């Protein structure tokens, strides 16, 4: 029955700055709903890794386009973990460095890169049943998403969370460095001309500064349920 199919296959968009808790929350939500989890930041990171590997010049649009035309990024779930594949090559562990964070932010400001990534993202999410996290999901990639969330937190709290992650991975960075890099990245992501990080008008703002991930997940699940009920009522009237 088409109605049931649609009800079971919503698009949930979660946008927000780095360290707001998007990945933790999106991953849990996807699991809870039996949906696919799409980490669009990982896709920009994977391409940024490729740029660094190949030593590409970011001002050489023609070469970038050629490389992008031959680029495929896949997100696959393996033993409960999201694997990021760039042209079939597993880059999951290589893309989580401070250097790649900055590079991903830089390449994501380029029109030619965004066009390719958005195309892949739309193809992946076309069928619905996805929780998609990023910066422009509710505004550009899926402007008609069924549920839109803008997840934010204070810069200090976001830097603290990212710093703890780096520490757990044995990466040597200070809290001050992490905060500085995060502020620099936020500024670039918010001020770029194409698809800047901003809250969609119809997105629900959640400030996670003093919230546990569980509580944010619970709040979003309520939104998802409200929406399912709305869709059922609309389709049966
Ligand atoms: O979510 P993240 O930190 O892994 O994202 C890395 C960079 O990718 C981020 O600084 C900006 C860019 N990005 C984007 O421009 N649009 C998205 N939908 C997701 C990420």
């Amino acid at each position: 029955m088409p109605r049931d199919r649609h009800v079971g296959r919503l698009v949930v968009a979660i946008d927000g700055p780095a360290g707001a808790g998007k990945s933790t929350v999106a991953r849990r939500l996807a699991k809870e709903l039996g949906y696919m989890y799409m980490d669009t930041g990982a896709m920009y990171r994977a391409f940024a890794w490729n740029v660094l590997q190949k030593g590409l010049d970011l001002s050489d649009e023609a070469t970038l386009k050629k490389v992008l035309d031959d680029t495929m990024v896949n997100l696959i779930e393996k033993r409960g973990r999201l694997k990021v594949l760039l042209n079939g090559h597993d880059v999951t562990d290589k893309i989580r460095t401070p250097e790649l964070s900055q590079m991903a932010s830089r390449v994501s400001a380029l029109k030619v890169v965004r066009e390719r990534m958005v195309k892949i993202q739309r193809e992946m999410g076309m069928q619905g049943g996805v929780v998609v996290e990023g910066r422009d999901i509710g505004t550009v990639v899926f402007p008609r998403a069924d549920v839109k969330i803008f997840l934010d937190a204070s810069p200090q709290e976001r830097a603290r969370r990212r710093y703890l992650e780096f520490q757990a991975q044995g990466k040597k960075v200070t809290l001050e460095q992490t905060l500085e890099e995060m502020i620099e990245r936020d500024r670039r992501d918010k001020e770029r001309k194409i698809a800047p990080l901003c809250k969609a008008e119809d997105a629900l703002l959640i400030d996670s500064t003093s919230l546990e991930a569980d509580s944010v997940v619970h709040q979003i699940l309520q939104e998802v349920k409200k929406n399912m009920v709305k869709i059922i009522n609309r389709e049966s009237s």
Side-chain angles (χ1 to χ4, degrees), residues 40-41 44-45 96 104-105 108 114 134-136 185 189 192:
T40 61
Y44 288 99
R45 283 171 185 269
R96 299 288 163 195
S105 172
S108 70
R114 298 209 76 82
R135 303 291 190 288
D136 61 336
R185 191 147 70 99
D189 294 346
R192 69 179 176 223

Side-chain angles (χ1 to χ4, degrees), residues 122-133:
R122 286 189 179 144
E123 280 167 8
M124 284 168 71
M126 208 166 53
Q127 304 289 327
V130 279
V131 179
V132 195
E133 65 145 294

